[in-house]
Amino acid sequence: MAMDYGNMFADVFRIRQSMFGDETAEDGIRDLREDVQSVIEGKREVPKLRFISFKMTNYCNSDCSYCVHARSRHEDHKQEIPTDIVFRAIDDAARLGCAAIAVNGGEPLLMPHVIDIIKRIREDRIVPVLMTNALLLPDKWEELGEAGLRFIIISFDSMDKEVYEKQRGASFEQALAGIDAACRLREKYGDTEIYISATLTQDNFADIRKLLEFTAEKKIKLQFSPFHNYLGDRGKDFRMESDRTRRQIGELIDMKKEGCLVGSSVGYMSHFSDYFLEHKAVPDGYRCKMGFCNVCIDAEMNVKSCWSQNLRPLGNLAEASLYDIWNSELAREQRGMMLRGECEGCWYMCTEITMLADDRLFS
């Protein structure tokens, strides 16, 4: 059943229902909202952990211009989390009520045990979500499908070969072959959600309609993330500052309302203009509920409330269990800090979790 909320986190609950059949998508989202609100009101101390963004490796085979994990950057800091620690974290996530784990990187398909990891997530009745550049999917899609993968997010920015290769530092043709491989997985294994995730920059935004036409033809949803400058002066050329930005974002929202396969919610996209043109990290009155639903884990095994740079890690998987970290006093403190806006603010795609947790943010 199609969800009204219109983002990938809502689709997680739909796929979860399809995979395990134990809870409707609507019930899952309602339970998330009620759970978060009960903790905010002091009726409960610890919420369920719904989502994990798990960077299990920072090795990568693409060279994205704006990414700290690009193939050519930080060669001396490339690493991968030991599989036994990953498995323990997955089992803890199941105890904590997790709905989905994003297998992320770097490029997760470079990991030799990625199939075993997908299987373990599935065995624990959690939705495995693969976040990939798709370059290796042509060789791995069938094995991934057999392991139980039913949710794929592919990083792909443009149908213009020059723009794609400038931003992503990889072969355009190889990426297209990977997208086709994801579609073959869906065709063979049934109900599977495929998303394209495009980072919006001044180079690709004007031609985003072409990308929407391509994804619509493939029956794939297109999700947008505004460019965040991780690289200082080296990333400044990707900023969007043109006055036409507001008009183009309005067109995207209209297309979403008309039924186009836009995977970003209206509430999320509505802030893009202020983010790009007014340099406002979050909307006025915004209360971030990420810490009540989600943790992020980096390739150094640090567990974080989100990818914020000014919130210190909650703990490290080499020293403590995910279960204990999620239940820690520091985690409770940071949930309050995020709710009060005591961080630098961001508008990553994971902000859509708050869109699910708060009806008022939808329009």
Side-chain angles (χ1 to χ4, degrees), residues 295-352:
V295 292
C296 301
I297 306 173
D298 67 22
E300 296 178 350
M301 296 184 279
N302 293 309
V303 180
K304 304 179 178 183
S305 294
C306 74
W307 294 121
S308 168
Q309 297 301 304
N310 69 353
L311 293 174
R312 65 188 176 97
L314 299 172
N316 189 284
L317 294 179
E319 302 168 352
S321 71
L322 178 61
Y323 185 88
D324 288 341
I325 291 170
W326 179 253
N327 284 279
S328 68
E329 182 60 34
L330 180 57
R332 285 192 283 272
E333 289 176 7
Q334 289 194 3
R335 286 173 199 132
M337 292 172 64
M338 297 169 73
L339 195 66
R340 295 188 298 271
E342 296 172 6
C343 61
E344 74 271 29
C346 65
W347 210 241
Y348 302 128
M349 68 179 180
C350 49
T351 310
E352 290 268 30

Short mmCIF file of all heavy atoms in Angstrom, two decimals, residues 295-352:
data_model
loop_
_atom_site.label_atom_id
_atom_site.label_comp_id
_atom_site.label_asym_id
_atom_site.label_seq_id
_atom_site.Cartn_x
_atom_site.Cartn_y
_atom_site.Cartn_z
N VAL A 295 20.80 6.16 15.16
CA VAL A 295 22.22 6.42 15.43
C VAL A 295 23.00 6.27 14.13
O VAL A 295 22.56 5.60 13.19
CB VAL A 295 22.84 5.49 16.50
CG1 VAL A 295 22.26 5.75 17.87
CG2 VAL A 295 22.76 4.03 16.11
N CYS A 296 24.18 6.90 14.12
CA CYS A 296 25.12 6.77 13.02
C CYS A 296 26.39 6.12 13.56
O CYS A 296 26.82 6.46 14.67
CB CYS A 296 25.45 8.14 12.42
SG CYS A 296 24.00 9.03 11.79
N ILE A 297 26.96 5.22 12.81
CA ILE A 297 28.19 4.55 13.22
C ILE A 297 29.22 4.73 12.11
O ILE A 297 28.94 4.39 10.95
CB ILE A 297 27.96 3.05 13.50
CG1 ILE A 297 26.82 2.87 14.51
CG2 ILE A 297 29.25 2.40 13.99
CD1 ILE A 297 26.41 1.42 14.73
N ASP A 298 30.39 5.27 12.44
CA ASP A 298 31.40 5.49 11.41
C ASP A 298 32.36 4.31 11.33
O ASP A 298 32.29 3.36 12.12
CB ASP A 298 32.13 6.82 11.63
CG ASP A 298 33.00 6.86 12.89
OD1 ASP A 298 33.38 5.79 13.40
OD2 ASP A 298 33.30 7.98 13.36
N ALA A 299 33.27 4.36 10.37
CA ALA A 299 34.16 3.24 10.11
C ALA A 299 35.21 3.05 11.20
O ALA A 299 35.92 2.04 11.21
CB ALA A 299 34.85 3.42 8.76
N GLU A 300 35.29 4.02 12.13
CA GLU A 300 36.17 3.87 13.29
C GLU A 300 35.41 3.33 14.49
O GLU A 300 35.92 3.34 15.61
CB GLU A 300 36.82 5.21 13.61
CG GLU A 300 37.73 5.72 12.50
CD GLU A 300 38.33 7.07 12.81
OE1 GLU A 300 37.90 7.72 13.78
OE2 GLU A 300 39.23 7.49 12.06
N MET A 301 34.18 2.90 14.25
CA MET A 301 33.31 2.26 15.26
C MET A 301 32.72 3.24 16.27
O MET A 301 32.17 2.84 17.29
CB MET A 301 34.04 1.12 15.99
CG MET A 301 34.41 -0.02 15.07
SD MET A 301 35.18 -1.43 15.93
CE MET A 301 36.87 -0.83 16.06
N ASN A 302 32.82 4.55 15.99
CA ASN A 302 32.20 5.55 16.85
C ASN A 302 30.69 5.56 16.61
O ASN A 302 30.24 5.64 15.47
CB ASN A 302 32.77 6.93 16.56
CG ASN A 302 34.22 7.05 16.96
OD1 ASN A 302 34.61 6.71 18.07
ND2 ASN A 302 35.05 7.53 16.03
N VAL A 303 29.92 5.51 17.69
CA VAL A 303 28.46 5.59 17.62
C VAL A 303 28.06 7.03 17.93
O VAL A 303 28.48 7.59 18.94
CB VAL A 303 27.81 4.63 18.62
CG1 VAL A 303 26.28 4.71 18.53
CG2 VAL A 303 28.28 3.19 18.38
N LYS A 304 27.25 7.63 17.03
CA LYS A 304 26.91 9.04 17.15
C LYS A 304 25.40 9.24 17.06
O LYS A 304 24.70 8.45 16.41
CB LYS A 304 27.58 9.84 16.03
CG LYS A 304 29.10 9.67 15.99
CD LYS A 304 29.70 10.46 14.83
CE LYS A 304 31.23 10.34 14.82
NZ LYS A 304 31.84 11.15 13.75
N SER A 305 24.93 10.29 17.72
CA SER A 305 23.50 10.61 17.62
C SER A 305 23.12 10.97 16.20
O SER A 305 22.01 10.70 15.75
CB SER A 305 23.16 11.77 18.56
OG SER A 305 23.33 11.40 19.91
N CYS A 306 24.02 11.63 15.49
CA CYS A 306 23.87 11.93 14.07
C CYS A 306 25.26 12.27 13.56
O CYS A 306 26.26 12.11 14.27
CB CYS A 306 22.87 13.06 13.84
SG CYS A 306 23.50 14.69 14.26
N TRP A 307 25.35 12.77 12.33
CA TRP A 307 26.67 13.09 11.76
C TRP A 307 27.14 14.48 12.17
O TRP A 307 28.10 15.00 11.62
CB TRP A 307 26.64 12.96 10.25
CG TRP A 307 26.42 11.57 9.76
CD1 TRP A 307 25.41 11.13 8.97
CD2 TRP A 307 27.21 10.41 10.05
NE1 TRP A 307 25.51 9.79 8.74
CE2 TRP A 307 26.62 9.32 9.39
CE3 TRP A 307 28.38 10.20 10.80
CZ2 TRP A 307 27.14 8.03 9.46
CZ3 TRP A 307 28.89 8.91 10.87
CH2 TRP A 307 28.28 7.85 10.20
N SER A 308 26.51 15.09 13.15
CA SER A 308 26.92 16.40 13.65
C SER A 308 28.39 16.39 14.07
O SER A 308 28.88 15.43 14.67
CB SER A 308 26.05 16.80 14.84
OG SER A 308 26.59 17.91 15.51
N GLN A 309 29.07 17.49 13.78
CA GLN A 309 30.48 17.61 14.14
C GLN A 309 30.68 18.12 15.57
O GLN A 309 31.77 18.01 16.11
CB GLN A 309 31.19 18.56 13.16
CG GLN A 309 31.19 18.07 11.73
CD GLN A 309 31.87 16.72 11.57
OE1 GLN A 309 33.01 16.56 11.95
NE2 GLN A 309 31.15 15.76 11.01
N ASN A 310 29.64 18.71 16.16
CA ASN A 310 29.86 19.26 17.51
C ASN A 310 29.14 18.48 18.61
O ASN A 310 29.01 18.95 19.74
CB ASN A 310 29.49 20.75 17.56
CG ASN A 310 28.01 21.01 17.42
OD1 ASN A 310 27.24 20.09 17.15
ND2 ASN A 310 27.61 22.26 17.57
N LEU A 311 28.66 17.28 18.28
CA LEU A 311 28.17 16.36 19.29
C LEU A 311 29.18 15.22 19.41
O LEU A 311 29.44 14.51 18.43
CB LEU A 311 26.79 15.79 18.91
CG LEU A 311 25.62 16.77 18.90
CD1 LEU A 311 24.37 16.09 18.36
CD2 LEU A 311 25.36 17.34 20.29
N ARG A 312 29.76 15.05 20.57
CA ARG A 312 30.81 14.04 20.69
C ARG A 312 30.22 12.64 20.59
O ARG A 312 29.02 12.43 20.86
CB ARG A 312 31.55 14.20 22.01
CG ARG A 312 30.77 13.96 23.29
CD ARG A 312 31.60 14.36 24.49
NE ARG A 312 30.90 14.25 25.75
CZ ARG A 312 30.99 13.20 26.57
NH1 ARG A 312 31.76 12.18 26.23
NH2 ARG A 312 30.34 13.18 27.72
N PRO A 313 31.02 11.66 20.17
CA PRO A 313 30.51 10.29 20.05
C PRO A 313 29.90 9.79 21.36
O PRO A 313 30.36 10.11 22.45
CB PRO A 313 31.76 9.48 19.68
CG PRO A 313 32.65 10.47 19.00
CD PRO A 313 32.41 11.77 19.71
N LEU A 314 28.87 8.99 21.22
CA LEU A 314 28.20 8.40 22.38
C LEU A 314 29.03 7.27 22.98
O LEU A 314 28.90 6.94 24.15
CB LEU A 314 26.83 7.87 21.99
CG LEU A 314 25.83 8.88 21.43
CD1 LEU A 314 24.59 8.16 20.90
CD2 LEU A 314 25.44 9.90 22.50
N GLY A 315 29.85 6.65 22.15
CA GLY A 315 30.67 5.53 22.58
C GLY A 315 31.31 4.88 21.37
O GLY A 315 31.13 5.34 20.24
N ASN A 316 32.05 3.81 21.61
CA ASN A 316 32.73 3.10 20.53
C ASN A 316 32.46 1.61 20.67
O ASN A 316 32.52 1.05 21.78
CB ASN A 316 34.24 3.38 20.61
CG ASN A 316 34.98 2.85 19.41
OD1 ASN A 316 35.22 1.65 19.27
ND2 ASN A 316 35.35 3.76 18.51
N LEU A 317 32.16 0.96 19.55
CA LEU A 317 31.79 -0.45 19.57
C LEU A 317 32.92 -1.36 20.00
O LEU A 317 32.69 -2.52 20.37
CB LEU A 317 31.27 -0.88 18.19
CG LEU A 317 29.96 -0.25 17.73
CD1 LEU A 317 29.59 -0.76 16.34
CD2 LEU A 317 28.83 -0.52 18.72
N ALA A 318 34.15 -0.86 19.96
CA ALA A 318 35.28 -1.65 20.45
C ALA A 318 35.33 -1.68 21.97
O ALA A 318 36.00 -2.54 22.56
CB ALA A 318 36.59 -1.09 19.90
N GLU A 319 34.58 -0.78 22.60
CA GLU A 319 34.65 -0.63 24.06
C GLU A 319 33.33 -0.89 24.76
O GLU A 319 33.31 -1.19 25.96
CB GLU A 319 35.12 0.79 24.40
CG GLU A 319 36.48 1.14 23.80
CD GLU A 319 36.80 2.62 23.90
OE1 GLU A 319 35.90 3.40 24.30
OE2 GLU A 319 37.92 3.00 23.56
N ALA A 320 32.22 -0.77 24.05
CA ALA A 320 30.91 -0.95 24.68
C ALA A 320 29.93 -1.49 23.64
O ALA A 320 30.13 -1.34 22.43
CB ALA A 320 30.40 0.39 25.24
N SER A 321 28.87 -2.10 24.11
CA SER A 321 27.85 -2.64 23.19
C SER A 321 26.95 -1.52 22.69
O SER A 321 26.76 -0.50 23.38
CB SER A 321 27.01 -3.69 23.90
OG SER A 321 26.17 -3.09 24.87
N LEU A 322 26.39 -1.72 21.52
CA LEU A 322 25.41 -0.76 21.00
C LEU A 322 24.23 -0.63 21.96
O LEU A 322 23.70 0.46 22.17
CB LEU A 322 24.94 -1.18 19.61
CG LEU A 322 23.87 -0.30 18.96
CD1 LEU A 322 24.38 1.13 18.75
CD2 LEU A 322 23.41 -0.90 17.63
N TYR A 323 23.84 -1.74 22.57
CA TYR A 323 22.71 -1.73 23.51
C TYR A 323 22.99 -0.77 24.67
O TYR A 323 22.15 0.07 25.02
CB TYR A 323 22.47 -3.14 24.03
CG TYR A 323 21.24 -3.26 24.91
CD1 TYR A 323 19.99 -3.53 24.35
CD2 TYR A 323 21.33 -3.11 26.29
CE1 TYR A 323 18.86 -3.64 25.15
CE2 TYR A 323 20.21 -3.21 27.09
CZ TYR A 323 18.98 -3.47 26.51
OH TYR A 323 17.87 -3.56 27.31
N ASP A 324 24.17 -0.88 25.25
CA ASP A 324 24.50 -0.02 26.39
C ASP A 324 24.68 1.44 25.95
O ASP A 324 24.30 2.36 26.69
CB ASP A 324 25.78 -0.52 27.07
CG ASP A 324 25.55 -1.80 27.85
OD1 ASP A 324 24.38 -2.10 28.17
OD2 ASP A 324 26.55 -2.51 28.13
N ILE A 325 25.24 1.65 24.78
CA ILE A 325 25.46 3.02 24.29
C ILE A 325 24.12 3.71 24.08
O ILE A 325 23.93 4.87 24.47
CB ILE A 325 26.29 3.00 22.99
CG1 ILE A 325 27.73 2.57 23.29
CG2 ILE A 325 26.28 4.38 22.31
CD1 ILE A 325 28.56 2.28 22.05
N TRP A 326 23.15 3.01 23.47
CA TRP A 326 21.84 3.60 23.21
C TRP A 326 21.11 3.93 24.51
O TRP A 326 20.37 4.91 24.59
CB TRP A 326 20.99 2.66 22.37
CG TRP A 326 19.61 3.16 22.06
CD1 TRP A 326 18.44 2.72 22.60
CD2 TRP A 326 19.25 4.20 21.14
NE1 TRP A 326 17.37 3.41 22.07
CE2 TRP A 326 17.84 4.33 21.17
CE3 TRP A 326 19.99 5.03 20.30
CZ2 TRP A 326 17.16 5.26 20.40
CZ3 TRP A 326 19.30 5.96 19.52
CH2 TRP A 326 17.91 6.07 19.56
N ASN A 327 21.35 3.15 25.54
CA ASN A 327 20.69 3.36 26.83
C ASN A 327 21.48 4.26 27.78
O ASN A 327 21.08 4.44 28.93
CB ASN A 327 20.45 2.00 27.51
CG ASN A 327 19.28 1.24 26.91
OD1 ASN A 327 18.13 1.50 27.22
ND2 ASN A 327 19.59 0.31 26.01
N SER A 328 22.56 4.86 27.30
CA SER A 328 23.45 5.63 28.17
C SER A 328 22.88 7.00 28.52
O SER A 328 22.00 7.54 27.82
CB SER A 328 24.81 5.82 27.50
OG SER A 328 24.70 6.66 26.36
N GLU A 329 23.40 7.58 29.59
CA GLU A 329 23.01 8.92 30.00
C GLU A 329 23.41 9.95 28.95
O GLU A 329 22.69 10.91 28.70
CB GLU A 329 23.65 9.26 31.34
CG GLU A 329 23.28 10.64 31.88
CD GLU A 329 21.78 10.79 32.10
OE1 GLU A 329 21.11 9.79 32.46
OE2 GLU A 329 21.27 11.92 31.90
N LEU A 330 24.58 9.76 28.31
CA LEU A 330 25.01 10.69 27.27
C LEU A 330 24.04 10.70 26.10
O LEU A 330 23.74 11.77 25.54
CB LEU A 330 26.42 10.34 26.79
CG LEU A 330 27.01 11.25 25.70
CD1 LEU A 330 27.04 12.71 26.15
CD2 LEU A 330 28.41 10.77 25.30
N ALA A 331 23.54 9.54 25.72
CA ALA A 331 22.55 9.49 24.64
C ALA A 331 21.30 10.27 25.01
O ALA A 331 20.74 11.01 24.19
CB ALA A 331 22.20 8.04 24.31
N ARG A 332 20.85 10.14 26.26
CA ARG A 332 19.67 10.90 26.70
C ARG A 332 19.95 12.40 26.68
O ARG A 332 19.11 13.19 26.26
CB ARG A 332 19.26 10.45 28.10
CG ARG A 332 18.57 9.09 28.13
CD ARG A 332 17.92 8.82 29.48
NE ARG A 332 18.89 8.44 30.48
CZ ARG A 332 19.29 7.18 30.70
NH1 ARG A 332 18.79 6.20 29.97
NH2 ARG A 332 20.16 6.91 31.64
N GLU A 333 21.15 12.80 27.12
CA GLU A 333 21.51 14.22 27.10
C GLU A 333 21.50 14.77 25.68
O GLU A 333 20.98 15.88 25.43
CB GLU A 333 22.90 14.40 27.72
CG GLU A 333 22.95 14.18 29.21
CD GLU A 333 24.38 14.29 29.74
OE1 GLU A 333 25.28 14.66 28.95
OE2 GLU A 333 24.59 14.00 30.94
N GLN A 334 22.06 14.02 24.75
CA GLN A 334 22.15 14.54 23.38
C GLN A 334 20.79 14.58 22.69
O GLN A 334 20.56 15.44 21.84
CB GLN A 334 23.16 13.72 22.59
CG GLN A 334 24.59 13.98 23.02
CD GLN A 334 25.63 13.44 22.05
OE1 GLN A 334 25.30 12.91 20.98
NE2 GLN A 334 26.89 13.59 22.40
N ARG A 335 19.88 13.69 23.04
CA ARG A 335 18.53 13.80 22.49
C ARG A 335 17.92 15.14 22.86
O ARG A 335 17.31 15.82 22.02
CB ARG A 335 17.66 12.65 23.01
CG ARG A 335 17.98 11.31 22.40
CD ARG A 335 17.23 10.15 23.05
NE ARG A 335 17.93 8.92 22.72
CZ ARG A 335 18.26 7.97 23.59
NH1 ARG A 335 17.92 8.08 24.87
NH2 ARG A 335 18.91 6.89 23.19
N GLY A 336 18.09 15.54 24.09
CA GLY A 336 17.59 16.85 24.51
C GLY A 336 18.29 17.99 23.81
O GLY A 336 17.65 18.97 23.41
N MET A 337 19.60 17.89 23.64
CA MET A 337 20.36 18.94 22.95
C MET A 337 19.88 19.11 21.51
O MET A 337 19.68 20.23 21.03
CB MET A 337 21.85 18.60 22.96
CG MET A 337 22.51 18.68 24.33
SD MET A 337 24.21 18.06 24.30
CE MET A 337 24.99 19.28 23.20
N MET A 338 19.67 18.00 20.81
CA MET A 338 19.22 18.06 19.42
C MET A 338 17.82 18.65 19.34
O MET A 338 17.52 19.45 18.46
CB MET A 338 19.27 16.67 18.80
CG MET A 338 20.69 16.10 18.72
SD MET A 338 20.74 14.34 18.27
CE MET A 338 20.33 14.43 16.53
N LEU A 339 16.96 18.25 20.26
CA LEU A 339 15.59 18.76 20.27
C LEU A 339 15.58 20.27 20.47
O LEU A 339 14.75 20.98 19.91
CB LEU A 339 14.79 18.05 21.36
CG LEU A 339 13.27 18.18 21.31
CD1 LEU A 339 12.71 17.49 20.08
CD2 LEU A 339 12.65 17.58 22.57
N ARG A 340 16.52 20.77 21.28
CA ARG A 340 16.61 22.21 21.56
C ARG A 340 17.43 22.97 20.52
O ARG A 340 17.61 24.18 20.65
CB ARG A 340 17.21 22.42 22.95
CG ARG A 340 16.36 21.90 24.09
CD ARG A 340 16.93 22.31 25.45
NE ARG A 340 18.26 21.78 25.70
CZ ARG A 340 18.50 20.60 26.28
NH1 ARG A 340 17.48 19.82 26.64
NH2 ARG A 340 19.73 20.18 26.49
N GLY A 341 17.95 22.28 19.52
CA GLY A 341 18.72 22.94 18.48
C GLY A 341 20.13 23.31 18.90
O GLY A 341 20.72 24.25 18.34
N GLU A 342 20.70 22.59 19.85
CA GLU A 342 22.03 22.91 20.35
C GLU A 342 23.11 22.15 19.58
O GLU A 342 24.01 21.54 20.14
CB GLU A 342 22.11 22.60 21.85
CG GLU A 342 21.18 23.46 22.69
CD GLU A 342 21.13 23.03 24.14
OE1 GLU A 342 21.90 22.13 24.53
OE2 GLU A 342 20.30 23.58 24.90
N CYS A 343 23.00 22.19 18.27
CA CYS A 343 24.02 21.64 17.38
C CYS A 343 24.11 22.58 16.19
O CYS A 343 23.36 23.55 16.10
CB CYS A 343 23.68 20.21 16.94
SG CYS A 343 22.13 20.06 16.03
N GLU A 344 25.01 22.31 15.27
CA GLU A 344 25.21 23.25 14.16
C GLU A 344 24.09 23.22 13.14
O GLU A 344 23.96 24.11 12.30
CB GLU A 344 26.56 23.01 13.48
CG GLU A 344 26.63 21.78 12.59
CD GLU A 344 27.06 20.53 13.35
OE1 GLU A 344 26.78 20.44 14.56
OE2 GLU A 344 27.64 19.64 12.72
N GLY A 345 23.27 22.18 13.17
CA GLY A 345 22.16 22.06 12.23
C GLY A 345 22.63 21.49 10.90
O GLY A 345 23.78 21.67 10.49
N CYS A 346 21.74 20.79 10.24
CA CYS A 346 22.05 20.20 8.93
C CYS A 346 20.72 19.90 8.23
O CYS A 346 19.66 20.00 8.84
CB CYS A 346 22.87 18.92 9.09
SG CYS A 346 21.95 17.60 9.92
N TRP A 347 20.82 19.53 6.97
CA TRP A 347 19.62 19.14 6.23
C TRP A 347 19.94 17.92 5.36
O TRP A 347 19.68 17.89 4.18
CB TRP A 347 19.07 20.31 5.42
CG TRP A 347 17.58 20.24 5.24
CD1 TRP A 347 16.91 20.15 4.06
CD2 TRP A 347 16.58 20.25 6.26
NE1 TRP A 347 15.55 20.10 4.30
CE2 TRP A 347 15.32 20.17 5.65
CE3 TRP A 347 16.63 20.32 7.65
CZ2 TRP A 347 14.13 20.15 6.35
CZ3 TRP A 347 15.45 20.30 8.37
CH2 TRP A 347 14.21 20.22 7.71
N TYR A 348 20.57 16.91 6.00
CA TYR A 348 20.86 15.65 5.32
C TYR A 348 19.56 14.90 5.07
O TYR A 348 18.52 15.19 5.67
CB TYR A 348 21.77 14.78 6.18
CG TYR A 348 23.09 15.38 6.57
CD1 TYR A 348 23.48 15.42 7.90
CD2 TYR A 348 23.94 15.92 5.61
CE1 TYR A 348 24.70 15.96 8.27
CE2 TYR A 348 25.16 16.47 5.98
CZ TYR A 348 25.53 16.49 7.31
OH TYR A 348 26.73 17.03 7.68
N MET A 349 19.63 13.87 4.20
CA MET A 349 18.41 13.13 3.89
C MET A 349 17.87 12.43 5.13
O MET A 349 16.66 12.18 5.23
CB MET A 349 18.64 12.12 2.77
CG MET A 349 19.54 10.97 3.09
SD MET A 349 19.67 9.86 1.66
CE MET A 349 20.77 8.60 2.30
N CYS A 350 18.74 12.11 6.13
CA CYS A 350 18.23 11.46 7.33
C CYS A 350 17.34 12.39 8.15
O CYS A 350 16.62 11.93 9.05
CB CYS A 350 19.38 10.92 8.17
SG CYS A 350 20.72 12.07 8.48
N THR A 351 17.36 13.70 7.85
CA THR A 351 16.43 14.62 8.50
C THR A 351 14.98 14.20 8.24
O THR A 351 14.08 14.55 9.00
CB THR A 351 16.66 16.06 7.99
OG1 THR A 351 18.05 16.35 8.07
CG2 THR A 351 15.90 17.07 8.81
N GLU A 352 14.77 13.44 7.18
CA GLU A 352 13.43 12.94 6.87
C GLU A 352 12.87 12.07 7.99
O GLU A 352 11.66 11.86 8.07
CB GLU A 352 13.46 12.15 5.56
CG GLU A 352 13.70 12.99 4.31
CD GLU A 352 12.41 13.46 3.67
OE1 GLU A 352 11.42 13.65 4.41
OE2 GLU A 352 12.38 13.63 2.44
#
